[in-house]
Amino acid sequence: MSAARIAAIYAASRLVTTSFFLLAARLSPPESRFGPGADLATYIVAWDAQYYHRIASEGYPVELPLTTAGEVAQNAWAFMPLYPWAADAAGWLLGSWAAGAVALALIAGYLCCLVLRSILRPAIGETAALWAVVFFASAPLAAMFQVGYAEAPFLLLILLGIRSLQRRQYAVLYAIIPAMAFTRPGVLAFALFLGLFGIRRWLSRAREPFARREVVHIVTLAGIATALGLSWQVIAGVVTGRDDAYLATELAWRRLWVGDAGGFVPFEGWPQAADYWFRFWGLDPVWGLLCLGLLVLAGGAVLAFSPHVARLGPEIRLWAASYLIYLLAVFLPQSSVFRILFPLSPLWGAVAAPRSLAWRLAVLATCLVGQWWWIWNMYGLGTEFWHIP
């Protein structure tokens, strides 16, 4: 019954998203990025989906492309291969790569809803868990279920990983983690999650015995996740003959925002972005650093002290903390920040926990307004430097 109910919720939300896409295409001005003739097919393969399509059709470049200044240009090495290859296989049956890509995203989104409900229900109850699914399926980033991006498949693997740890079913993680590593960057966050989970299990061993086999599983899985998280750099280096091929590729995107800031330095991106945005807004960049510090403190306080977040259980809280630490270490905040936060979707359970119907309806309305705003700006317009999903 719950699967059918979630299917109805998911189908209704996809109709809304489709309507938003069609409306954006209809209202799109001639000077928009995709022109007056844009349609659903245009949006499915837009932006990063072009790189996934290129990986499926051409593979990865053996020689890194360079800009006129001699720097590494944006290229396919920034994206993992599992999703575009799977979309290509599905597209062979459905008639096109785009059809396969959107089919995988749609199916993964529905499965995410099922798993999200299963990991939240024991903590917050059936009704709240279903409301969390409603918010998730209608969220501002719900377009990710209908375009050629790897976000939905990656999130599905994350949710399955969280459920595996909740149930102490470690064996399945030996399959989930490799798939995660080659679907989208972020498996290093899961490695940190495993490490923090193991520490917590050790500290709480008086309440819940911590068997030796669990220790072996957690340590082994964390090691595998770390090794696989670093392996793409090695693979890119071997294929291209440049040890820095992957990091240089990722920095090509960063240069669009802050210019050439040298090599990659962990935890440097957020201070750089704070300086950039506050200067852009005509404000003293010192205030940017102050706001960044307050933002980090606020995020930590919510995870540590919010009663609604606490109800979700330690696994979800540890995942959220791990992923946020990972983002602080590697990400430069810019217009893609909302999409980058997509793996924090289990926190919709905390939003759904209050029982007030007025609150839940207000959250749903906010989700839908945010979804339209995101689709209109990123796809209907796509004309400004911050109109990049």
Side-chain angles (χ1 to χ4, degrees), residues 13-73:
S13 63
R14 299 288 57 77
L15 288 174
V16 171
T17 300
T18 301
S19 299
F20 285 162
F21 270 129
L22 292 173
L23 183 60
R26 182 180 180 86
L27 298 178
S28 181
E31 65 272 17
S32 71
R33 180 181 180 90
F34 303 107
D39 54 17
L40 287 176
T42 304
Y43 295 151
I44 287 171
V45 295
W47 297 111
D48 287 354
Q50 298 175 71
Y51 285 100
Y52 288 122
H53 189 195
R54 193 174 304 165
I55 291 166
S57 60
E58 303 172 9
Y60 290 90
V62 174
E63 184 174 342
L64 292 177
L66 302 178
T67 66
T68 55
E71 299 168 323
V72 174

Side-chain angles (χ1 to χ4, degrees), residues 251-345:
L251 289 174
W253 270 268
R254 185 172 294 196
R255 282 197 302 271
L256 291 177
W257 297 92
V258 297
D260 187 2
F264 171 74
V265 178
F267 297 100
E268 186 180 54
W270 287 76
Q272 284 181 340
D275 181 88
Y276 169 83
W277 285 110
F278 273 70
R279 289 183 188 276
F280 177 79
W281 294 327
L283 301 173
D284 189 334
V286 173
W287 287 105
L289 295 176
L290 177 61
C291 289
L292 173 60
L294 293 174
L295 180 65
V296 172
L297 289 175
V302 169
L303 292 180
F305 304 115
S306 168
H308 295 311
V309 175
R311 285 182 62 188
L312 303 182
E315 290 81 12
I316 291 176
R317 296 169 77 192
L318 289 175
W319 162 248
S322 300
Y323 189 68
L324 288 173
I325 292 170
Y326 168 78
L327 290 186
L328 284 173
V330 306
F331 184 59
L332 177 88
Q334 23 78 8
S335 63
S336 298
V337 68
F338 300 108
R339 177 173 59 84
I340 298 300
L341 294 175
F342 194 61
L344 295 176
S345 293

Side-chain angles (χ1 to χ4, degrees), residues 110-132:
Y110 171 64
L111 295 177
C112 281
C113 291
L114 291 177
V115 181
L116 181 64
R117 176 244 176 207
S118 73
I119 67 176
L120 292 176
R121 186 172 61 87
I124 61 176
E126 178 71 15
T127 300
L130 285 176
W131 272 104

Side-chain angles (χ1 to χ4, degrees), residues 142-290:
M144 288 295 100
F145 303 131
Q146 296 178 225
V147 293
Y149 272 66
E151 262 64 16
F154 181 75
L155 179 59
L156 175 60
L157 294 168
I158 292 296
L159 294 174
L160 289 171
I162 292 172
R163 187 172 68 173
S164 298
L165 291 181
Q166 285 179 331
R167 299 178 178 183
R168 311 297 189 254
Q169 296 173 343
Y170 301 104
V172 68
L173 287 170
Y174 289 96
I176 290 174
I177 288 174
M180 190 188 302
F182 295 105
T183 298
R184 185 184 173 280
V187 73
L188 288 176
F190 202 84
L192 176 59
F193 173 37
L194 286 165
L196 295 178
F197 175 79
I199 292 171
R200 186 190 180 281
R201 288 286 292 112
W202 173 260
L203 294 176
S204 62
R205 65 190 184 280
R207 297 191 302 273
E208 181 184 358
F210 194 25
R212 182 176 300 177
R213 63 178 181 80
E214 279 194 78
V215 177
V216 172
H217 277 307
I218 293 170
V219 172
T220 302
L221 288 165
I224 291 172
T226 302
L228 289 175
L230 299 174
S231 67
W232 194 243
Q233 297 182 44
V234 176
I235 294 169
V238 170
V239 173
T240 63
R242 282 191 55 157
D243 292 340
D244 67 339
Y246 175 69
L247 290 179
T249 296
E250 289 287 1
L251 289 174
W253 270 268
R254 185 172 294 196
R255 282 197 302 271
L256 291 177
W257 297 92
V258 297
D260 187 2
F264 171 74
V265 178
F267 297 100
E268 186 180 54
W270 287 76
Q272 284 181 340
D275 181 88
Y276 169 83
W277 285 110
F278 273 70
R279 289 183 188 276
F280 177 79
W281 294 327
L283 301 173
D284 189 334
V286 173
W287 287 105
L289 295 176
L290 177 61

